Amino acid sequence: RLTQRLPTSPENISRVLQQLFPLVKDKAQEIDWQQIAVANAMNKNFTVIAGGPGTGKTYTVTKLLAALVMLNTNTATNKLSHNPALEIALVAPTGKAAQRLSESIISAITGFKTLINANILAAIPTEAKTIHRLLGVIPNSPNFRHDQNNHLSCDVLLIDEVSMVDLPMMTRIFRALKKETKIILLGDADQLPSVAVGSVLADITPRPHSGYSPANTNYLAQVCQLDVQQLNHAFMSTANHSDHLSFLVTSRRFDGEGGIGKLATHVIKGESTQSWQLLQAANENNRNQLALVEGDLHDWLSPLIKEYYQGISRCDTLDDAFALFAKFRILCVTRQGEFGVDAINQWVKEQLAVNTAQPWGQSHQNYHGMPIMISENDYRLGLFNGDIGLLWHANSNTSTNASDNASLHSNHLMAFFEQPKTADGETHYKTLLPSRLPKYDSVYAMTIHKTQGSEFTHVAMLLPKQSNNLLLSRELLYTGITRAKTQLTIASNKQTWQQGVTSVVKRYSGLKIVE
């Protein structure tokens, strides 16, 4: 796939790109890296599009899918096409990541209605699956229905959040693909690698970009109407090249002036002193984006619990409750320990019980408004490790297509799980009796690993007091930092912080791309 080039004329590709990326007068001489990413993927059967949070990865890949449909239907040349419709599959490692991918694709398609023909947009799928669901789980078996002897039928496979995919799973995916299937990998190479073996995305995404081969540079310059030297000057001059790789570099979420974006940049570069100074300066200047806190949890975390969590059970509708819960999350490094997920979740429940005069603070009983996370897969119910839901009284102003319809007309406590929004913005829920659920826990706090693929308005990140924690790394801190969209509160001492920033995740997976 690395060396395979598709027999599509550069002229047709150029026509499609002109439709998808109209020239903007003030930016006519600038390189549009989203256009480069689309162009670079259009003539290849294997491509990686990498970038940090807010760089428009899903926006870009939606344009790429539209471009592939346009090429397949000869829309750019207005000639009648006899090609069969492209079968495009969208997947992500977890249910939450798949849901976010679906919603992002739908949002992008809605924004393109004035730019792209409606028939082209209609051919882009909007439902993403988990990788397990795509490959086909066989109950009580480690194997999948699709493998080297039973290939997937898709013509194009898009995998989002690739940093979460381990080496054995990626191997299974490639074994299950037809030789001619185009594969597009999407993700942030600076994030934590997978929990299991390997660091697939990091291994195939050299940073900084080593540049393109002369042939690929000439191709990109031709179809994007750029000067060859302009493209060459954008990369470091090296003997190596990475034709399969495109980086998106401009973040719409972090403009470089806000504290969160600056902190993430310092951390991933290993700049421990500068990052700590930025946190201290943020406190002194009362910048809203960043806050460094120390001392007793009750002093600084209790107000956040009251602001974000206490009102969940009092929301008028389930939609409102999910929206409020999505605004804030407490992130921990580990499950165990004083600042681990288990202890913090219990502490939050006790604080809520005191503030609302509820009896469940010291117990394990379920209650109205309790957020939960599934911790083991149940393929029969369509619930997977990491799926998040809310326990809610069924008669509390909920209208939904439910799995347990009979219980919805009583005052039973039910478990509701958000499903991807429809094209018209409607929210639907998977609804089950709590007694039917696989193993689950309350989820006011999560490990940083579990938050990959998610984002929140405000994040509180708790680091352990001891600096010798083996899980601490700059990739872990970067992943936690970039979950926050507008506000980030960090609880740490200087020694622990600087130890985390200077530590690097090292994996020896044996995976290397040679072009």
Side-chain angles (χ1 to χ4, degrees), residues 458-478:
H458 189 171
V459 162
M461 186 162 64
L462 281 66
L463 303 189
K465 293 180 179 179
Q466 297 76 24
S467 61
N468 60 351
N469 190 291
L470 295 178
L471 291 177
L472 278 174
S473 69
R474 69 180 61 162
E475 291 85 0
L476 183 89
L477 296 180
Y478 172 85

Side-chain angles (χ1 to χ4, degrees), residues 48-85:
V48 177
I49 300 176
T55 51
K57 294 187 292 293
T58 311
Y59 175 94
T60 301
V61 85
T62 305
K63 279 195 173 182
L64 171 57
L65 297 179
L68 297 177
V69 173
M70 291 168 74
L71 285 179
N72 187 63
T73 56
N74 286 337
T75 302
T77 58
N78 294 316
K79 293 180 180 179
L80 183 64
S81 171
H82 298 287
N83 297 328

Side-chain angles (χ1 to χ4, degrees), residues 358-372:
Q358 296 295 331
W360 36 256
Q362 296 291 341
S363 72
H364 297 285
Q365 74 183 72
N366 294 331
Y367 52 89
H368 178 73
M370 176 180 170
I372 60 172

Side-chain angles (χ1 to χ4, degrees), residues 427-439:
T427 301
H428 293 271
Y429 299 93
K430 182 189 294 291
T431 312
L432 297 160
L433 283 165
S435 59
R436 295 186 60 198
L437 298 178
K439 185 179 178 182

Side-chain angles (χ1 to χ4, degrees), residues 250-285:
T250 303
S251 176
R252 272 71 176 176
R253 188 195 304 176
F254 304 133
D255 58 7
E257 298 301 318
I260 297 175
K262 286 183 178 179
L263 185 65
T265 300
H266 283 315
V267 166
I268 206 60
K269 289 182 177 179
E271 297 169 347
S272 59
T273 301
Q274 296 93 322
S275 60
W276 184 254
Q277 289 174 345
L278 179 62
L279 285 173
Q280 290 182 311
N283 270 6
E284 294 167 4
N285 300 332

Side-chain angles (χ1 to χ4, degrees), residues 65 119 297 380:
L65 297 179
N119 292 330
L297 281 179
R380 181 177 55 86

